[in-house]
Amino acid sequence: MDKRTEIRLAGEGGQGMILAGIILAEAAAIYDGKQATQTQSYGPEARGGASRSEVVISDGEIDHPEVLEADVVVALSQEAYKKFAGSVRPGGLLIVDEERVTLDPEVEAVRLPISRLAKETTGKSITANTVALGALVGLTGVVSRQAIEKAVLARAPKGTEEMNRRALEAGFQAVQKLRVA
Amino acid sequence: MSVKLMQGNEAIALGAIAAGCRFYAGYPITPSSEVAEVMARELPKVGGKFIQMEDEIASMAAIIGARVGGLKSMTATSGPGFSLMQENLGYAVMAEIPCVVVNVQRLGPSTGQPTAASQGDVMQARWGTHGDHPIIALSPISVSQAFDLTVKAFNLSEKYRTPVILLTDEIIGHMREPIELPDFTTVEKYEHVVTEPPETYKPYSNRTDVPPMAAFGRGYRYHITGLFHDEVGFPTQRLDEVEPWLERVNSKLERNPDDILLYQADYQPGARVAILSYGATARTARHAVKQMRARGEKVNLFTAYTLWPFPEKAVEALADSVERIIVPEMNLGQLALEVERVAGRRKVTRVNRANGEMVTPDMILAAMER
């Protein structure tokens, strides 16, 4: 069977995690020529509540389209962390926004100040989802850097391309520093 | 052609336009609303009409009326709306009006859970409207196939003058996957050709399986009713007129199985077990089968794309090939009833999940051990 990578992106409704999932799947399927499925679940609330987006990426055909055992979980809120941190497979990767998520003592995670980086880099905390994508791709290489950049720019509303490019870059930089340290 | 990432619901709307659909009437309902959204945006660009109706009863009536007026038509809904459409669905069967009804199944009964997935309307698609009647229901397993089967739904609907139900589910409807859209001008479209002049035209002639349908407003006039009718459409109780109609209409689908019954049968010599599935669950079944085969286990896989009419000869052959058939479904066992009818109850193992979540590969693998 082809190796599949399963990613779960979670946050509060309104943080753009479903869009982040769509962009990641587009990076894989359109720009890297891989197979990808994106599914989502959301509550009836437009904002608040826990919203999650799931992306499965593979070189070959994807059968079951949902995450079975996550290789990567990104949690941008405490509720998302509480709900989905346990769904990371052993040896998998958990990425959290360190300023919004308090980790339980035994939990290992890559802690990044995702919302703060977004605010500092672009002046807008709503670019946190793009920062998160930069960090995710920087850490995992699940899609190529060119692919995620093209996918982010293709989805960025007119006039916000540069802002989104910088947000993505901030995510990459943050994990570079992590590696050096 | 270029690759796009798209939801199943979007692919259904585009498939309809590619197939020549030029009229959409509907009442938005989760998880089908994206079909209406795309139709509202795209239909006017090709000269089509979009109407948001007051409810699903009216939506169904509107698409029937539109097709009588000569436009290929569609509506999309989910369980609660599909229930309301049943009466007029029967009317379309009786009056032999082609139309496509998309049901993106969600968890029921009643308003149930709007964003939760289900395959709970399989039997409703077959028997939801009263009286013995033919019906076609197709169920896609991917975004790409959602496009293809929508085109197929229109063509079968036209060719056999019957409503066709595209019976999909929340998973396929909302899931995004890559799809390569064809050039719409190359998509096969079935068109009725009426050669008979208006004076002698019989809209319900029993001399062929499916008499060609003339659109209103083009010189042809005839009567349309939900009552049993004669060859020109007027109500009749004469057995010599009713019986030929019954015979023709109730056998027009079964006389053309090769055209209508779509499925994939993937046999491995020596297999003693088979998995039969459809819709989103077919993806899970494939996942489980690949795992089993990777371990060297032999297993047959049957994927039904046409649920109604039930492909019973093919399932009979499947039953003959193995000792046991596993039928996973996101319901409490509906298509399994048909498999049991054909294969015998003792040969069938059901795997059911009816809480809004997908069946998992592990649930199917566990059933192998049972």
Side-chain angles (χ1 to χ4, degrees):
Chain A
M1 287 177 81
D2 292 297
K3 161 106 181 73
R4 43 192 268 157
T5 305
E6 304 189 341
I7 298 152
R8 182 169 273 158
L9 304 160
E12 281 169 19
Q15 277 186 316
M17 295 312 269
I18 288 179
L19 180 60
I22 295 169
I23 291 172
L24 183 61
E26 284 177 339
I30 298 174
Y31 302 105
D32 269 349
K34 294 185 176 189
Q35 291 299 312
T37 59
Q38 185 270 338
T39 54
Q40 61 205 37
S41 102
Y42 46 88
E45 320 89 340
R47 294 194 193 292
S51 126
R52 77 164 193 258
S53 188
E54 295 188 344
V55 182
V56 179
I57 297 171
S58 174
D59 290 327
E61 204 180 1
I62 296 171
D63 297 309
H64 189 78
E66 294 189 340
V67 167
L68 293 164
E69 217 186 6
D71 297 286
V72 185
V73 170
V74 180
L76 292 197
S77 73
Q78 187 68 24
E79 195 184 339
Y81 161 79
K82 275 195 345 217
K83 239 173 147 171
F84 301 117
S87 68
V88 190
R89 69 167 169 80
L93 174 67
L94 173 64
I95 304 171
V96 301
D97 187 330
E98 65 181 3
E99 294 182 353
R100 292 180 174 231
V101 174
T102 311
L103 289 177
D104 294 297
E106 74 283 9
V107 174
E108 279 181 45
V110 173
R111 300 160 64 243
L112 296 167
I114 292 170
S115 311
R116 181 158 58 78
L117 281 172
K119 188 104 191 175
E120 284 173 5
T121 311
T122 67
K124 291 189 193 305
S125 54
I126 54 161
T127 56
N129 58 350
T130 311
V131 176
L133 280 177
L136 166 68
V137 173
L139 280 169
T140 62
V142 65
V143 296
S144 69
R145 206 166 149 155
Q146 301 93 295
I148 193 69
E149 193 164 315
K150 281 184 190 158
V152 164
L153 294 181
R155 279 272 174 184
K158 224 177 156 50
T160 68
E161 294 91 343
E162 183 52 26
M163 182 175 86
N164 277 287
R165 209 193 49 73
R166 277 190 283 125
L168 189 69
E169 185 60 31
F172 282 125
Q173 293 291 338
V175 298
Q176 282 300 331
K177 279 180 205 157
L178 217 69
R179 283 193 173 154
V180 175
Chain B
M1 289 206 289
S2 68
V3 176
K4 288 195 171 78
L5 194 79
M6 187 180 292
Q7 290 187 309
N9 283 343
E10 297 175 83
I12 289 167
L14 296 179
I17 290 172
C21 176
R22 291 298 178 267
F23 184 90
Y24 181 97
Y27 187 85
I29 180 171
T30 302
S32 77
S33 299
E34 295 82 5
V35 179
E37 272 180 56
V38 175
M39 288 308 254
R41 190 181 70 218
E42 298 298 326
L43 258 186
K45 294 181 190 168
V46 294
K49 296 271 185 289
F50 173 96
I51 305 183
Q52 180 167 329
M53 300 300 290
E54 67 268 36
D55 61 33
E56 289 87 347
I57 299 174
S59 302
M60 190 66 217
I63 67 165
I64 293 170
R67 181 59 189 91
V68 170
L71 295 183
K72 290 182 185 173
S73 62
M74 181 171 88
T75 187
T77 189
S78 190
F82 193 53
S83 290
L84 291 178
M85 288 177 182
Q86 294 305 320
E87 181 185 2
N88 281 330
L89 187 66
Y91 186 88
V93 170
M94 187 59 152
E96 295 181 83
I97 315 286
C99 54
V100 174
V101 178
V102 180
N103 177 0
V104 188
Q105 295 166 92
R106 71 190 214 185
L107 189 60
S110 190
T111 35
Q113 231 175 80
T115 56
S118 166
Q119 295 178 313
D121 305 347
V122 170
M123 280 297 168
Q124 186 186 24
R126 180 65 192 90
W127 296 116
T129 195
H130 57 275
D132 286 313
H133 63 277
I135 198 81
I136 297 175
L138 308 178
S139 188
I141 71 161
S142 68
V143 169
S144 172
Q145 203 191 31
F147 181 95
D148 295 341
L149 285 190
T150 305
V151 172
K152 188 79 184 174
F154 273 94
N155 289 336
L156 290 178
S157 167
E158 290 292 327
K159 192 168 176 186
Y160 296 101
R161 288 187 61 180
T162 179
V164 175
I165 296 158
L166 189 79
L167 192 64
T168 185
D169 53 70
E170 190 275 339
I171 301 294
I172 301 297
H174 277 162
M175 174 167 75
R176 288 180 177 84
E177 278 189 317
I179 177 175
E180 276 185 52
L181 290 175
D183 174 355
F184 286 9
T185 60
T186 66
V187 169
E188 190 194 328
K189 299 177 193 72
Y190 187 93
E191 307 288 349
H192 280 268
V193 180
V194 181
T195 50
E196 198 77 26
E199 307 79 61
T200 51
Y201 172 67
K202 288 179 178 166
Y204 300 105
S205 166
N206 290 318
R207 291 174 63 184
T208 57
D209 280 352
V210 190
M213 183 174 166
F216 277 22
R218 294 176 200 173
Y220 289 84
R221 291 186 298 172
Y222 54 95
H223 194 258
I224 298 178
T225 174
L227 293 165
F228 276 93
H229 40 270
D230 61 20
E231 290 186 315
V232 289
F234 285 107
T236 179
Q237 293 183 32
R238 281 174 47 176
L239 278 185
D240 64 335
E241 290 177 334
V242 169
E243 279 176 345
W245 187 96
L246 281 168
E247 155 61 20
R248 177 177 66 78
V249 170
N250 281 311
S251 62
K252 66 182 176 183
L253 302 185
E254 69 198 43
R255 273 210 283 266
N256 295 282
D258 296 341
D259 205 17
I260 297 169
L261 302 182
L262 311 172
Y263 55 85
Q264 193 179 14
D266 171 8
Y267 282 37
Q268 274 194 317
R272 292 159 73 178
V273 182
I275 301 175
L276 181 150
S277 64
Y278 58 96
T281 309
R283 302 284 291 262
T284 313
R286 283 186 183 191
H287 192 108
V289 163
K290 281 185 187 168
Q291 277 185 325
M292 283 185 260
R293 288 179 178 172
R295 297 198 299 240
E297 293 170 47
K298 291 188 170 67
V299 54
N300 291 349
L301 177 65
F302 188 99
T303 310
Y305 308 121
T306 302
L307 305 189
W308 306 115
F310 186 66
E312 54 182 44
K313 288 231 162 60
V315 174
E316 214 167 71
L318 181 77
D320 288 342
S321 76
V322 290
E323 291 163 11
R324 199 149 72 94
I325 303 178
I326 295 173
V327 186
E329 301 179 83
M330 286 188 282
N331 57 40
L332 295 176
Q334 296 199 14
L335 204 66
L337 291 165
E338 285 294 294
V339 183
E340 286 166 0
R341 180 175 66 79
V342 171
R345 242 175 79 184
R346 280 177 295 178
K347 238 182 185 175
V348 176
T349 304
R350 300 179 181 193
V351 176
N352 302 112
R353 198 172 195 196
N355 62 358
E357 298 289 327
M358 284 190 84
V359 172
T360 63
D362 282 350
M363 290 172 69
I364 297 174
L365 294 174
M368 299 291 292
E369 314 299 322
R370 282 214 297 260

